[in-house]
Amino acid sequence: MRTVVRLLLVTITALMIGACASNQQEEVLPEETYYENARDAMNSGNFNEAERNLDFLETYYPFGRYAEQAQLDLIYARYQNLDLEGARAAADRFLRLNPQSDHADYALYMRGLASYNLDIGLAARYFPIDVAARDPGEQRQAFRDFSELLNRYPSSKYAPDARQRMIAIRNRLAELELFAARYYISREAYIAANNRARFIVENYSTTPSVEEAMIIMAETFRFMDLKKASADAVAMLQDNFPESTAFNDDGEFQADVLKRKDRSLSSVVTFGLMGDE
């Protein structure tokens, strides 16, 4: 009986201690304390601690004096923590709650920046991953975010960097098309390769990929015995890239990017049509 009583007392004591600890954990600090803690943590590079205090600030004081700044700081803290999806979500929330804010351009910029880096991730920081071979979905989203920033806030201090990143995105998208064209060439799907090359020339004419795209066009047109189309592609290459290595010392087109094998033209055409579905 005494043993049972002792166990009961121990259990009650443990519950009381747990309740006290819980009450201490749930103690709500003043709004300014959370904000100052968050700022101090960010200044010292402790973004986990900053994010924790900003979350408390939003939870307990959603309409307080620091609410708008806390939302902006949360975007930055999550971005620095490499929580790119979280940073984008925080930017979306800020824009939804503060559509007329003077800092909306910053939220748009950070949303684009998060998307810009999201498809690369941590692996690409340490391993040789070909960006051109990756799904460009996040890059397209970043392009839309930066484009919205430039349309709404053309004089924003973030606009110059956004423009440069949009150029980089276009270059990446063109590289992706070029990557696909090379793949089709390796499979001798020359019609599919030609389609990809023409898409680059028509849609990404200012990117570094366009020279190789024109060479592929000229070569694949020539292989398909489309002489005029091939000559037009060579002329276009000559006009835009007169120093291209595709021309010999006499200025004659001599590129040979197609590693042909003994296959009939009809089989190549059939495979090309199937490969570009």
Side-chain angles (χ1 to χ4, degrees):
M1 189 64 174
R2 290 179 179 177
T3 302
V4 173
V5 172
R6 287 174 181 171
L7 288 174
L8 184 59
L9 289 173
V10 170
T11 301
I12 292 173
T13 302
L15 290 173
M16 291 177 65
I17 293 173
C20 291
S22 177
N23 288 336
Q24 290 177 356
Q25 290 176 357
E26 293 177 0
E27 179 184 358
V28 179
L29 301 177
E31 178 185 9
E32 187 173 359
T33 301
Y34 285 126
Y35 181 73
E36 289 179 352
N37 288 345
R39 298 298 293 185
D40 289 343
M42 283 197 293
N43 290 335
S44 63
N46 188 350
F47 295 102
N48 281 323
E49 180 64 17
E51 187 174 343
R52 191 177 75 87
N53 279 277
L54 291 168
D55 283 334
F56 282 138
L57 191 58
E58 281 207 283
T59 299
Y60 297 124
Y61 304 98
F63 306 106
R65 58 180 295 197
Y66 300 107
E68 182 174 339
Q69 185 60 48
Q71 292 166 20
L72 291 169
D73 290 344
L74 186 60
I75 298 171
Y76 181 73
R78 287 181 177 176
Y79 182 82
Q80 290 296 326
N81 269 334
L82 300 180
D83 179 10
L84 301 180
E85 290 185 351
R88 190 165 63 181
D92 281 333
R93 183 171 183 272
F94 178 86
L95 291 168
R96 186 173 64 254
L97 296 176
N98 310 278
Q100 305 301 322
S101 171
D102 292 338
H103 304 291
D105 61 333
Y106 172 79
L108 278 171
Y109 173 72
M110 290 300 295
R111 189 173 73 180
L113 203 58
S115 297
Y116 182 83
N117 291 290
L118 193 56
D119 71 331
I120 299 175
L122 286 174
R125 298 174 185 267
Y126 305 103
F127 301 101
I129 296 175
D130 189 345
V131 175
R134 300 180 65 84
D135 186 339
E138 298 299 343
Q139 293 295 295
R140 297 184 193 280
Q141 179 59 52
F143 192 92
R144 288 192 291 268
D145 290 334
F146 291 138
S147 180
E148 183 179 353
L149 169 63
L150 294 180
N151 288 333
R152 291 175 57 183
Y153 307 101
S155 300
S156 168
K157 65 180 180 180
Y158 307 108
D161 186 68
R163 289 192 187 93
Q164 291 303 310
R165 290 183 187 276
M166 289 175 72
I167 292 172
I169 291 170
R170 286 180 61 82
N171 290 346
R172 287 185 186 179
L173 295 177
E175 286 174 14
L176 178 67
E177 297 296 329
L178 197 57
F179 182 90
R182 292 174 187 144
Y183 168 78
Y184 284 128
I185 288 173
S186 71
R187 301 297 296 272
E188 299 184 41
Y190 298 134
I191 291 179
N194 182 278
N195 289 337
R196 294 287 186 156
R198 283 190 292 113
F199 185 85
I200 294 170
V201 173
E202 293 169 2
N203 295 277
Y204 302 115
S205 60
T206 59
T207 67
S209 299
V210 74
E211 179 182 356
E212 186 175 343
M214 289 179 181
I215 295 172
I216 292 173
M217 284 175 57
E219 277 280 85
T220 51
F221 277 136
R222 184 172 67 178
F223 179 78
M224 292 184 285
D225 203 29
L226 298 174
K227 296 178 181 179
K228 184 179 185 307
S230 179
D232 290 343
V234 171
M236 183 167 52
L237 178 66
Q238 179 71 56
D239 289 341
N240 291 276
F241 303 97
E243 303 300 323
S244 174
T245 56
F247 299 109
N248 62 19
D249 293 338
D250 297 325
E252 298 173 338
F253 181 74
Q254 62 174 12
D256 189 13
V257 297
L258 310 186
K259 297 179 180 179
R260 307 179 204 163
K261 298 179 181 178
D262 293 332
R263 297 182 58 185
S264 68
L265 179 59
S266 61
S267 66
V268 172
V269 170
T270 301
F271 187 85
L273 291 172
M274 293 175 61
D276 200 36
E277 290 181 351

